[in-house]
Amino acid sequence: MKTKDIEAKLVELKADYARIMGDMDKVEAVGQRTNIEEKQLERLEKEISELNRQLEE
């Protein structure tokens, strides 16, 4: 992947992360479980970490 492609993907993933965090806050506010959202966040964190590593190379 080219640097610009990686940076664009990072922006997209970070926006998804922020959206899911907001969704998770709403779900928690009504007292429901957030397992699905937590797994999505974990997946996004791994992807973001991997892309950041690629940028450093």
Side-chain angles (χ1 to χ4, degrees):
M1 256 190 192
K2 294 181 182 179
T3 301
K4 282 190 157 197
D5 295 334
I6 293 172
E7 290 170 345
K9 185 68 175 173
L10 278 170
V11 168
E12 181 183 324
L13 291 173
K14 288 177 182 180
D16 287 346
Y17 191 92
R19 179 185 52 79
I20 293 169
M21 282 295 294
D23 292 349
M24 199 165 101
D25 289 342
K26 291 174 188 173
V27 170
E28 285 178 335
V30 295
Q32 299 207 353
R33 303 192 71 169
T34 59
N35 293 341
I36 294 170
E37 291 85 358
E38 288 172 7
K39 289 179 193 229
Q40 289 175 329
L41 290 177
E42 288 175 17
R43 181 186 56 80
L44 287 173
E45 288 169 358
K46 288 177 185 175
E47 279 187 70
I48 290 169
S49 177
E50 175 61 24
L51 290 173
N52 280 326
R53 187 189 61 74
Q54 288 179 24
L55 276 178
E56 291 175 1
E57 292 180 349

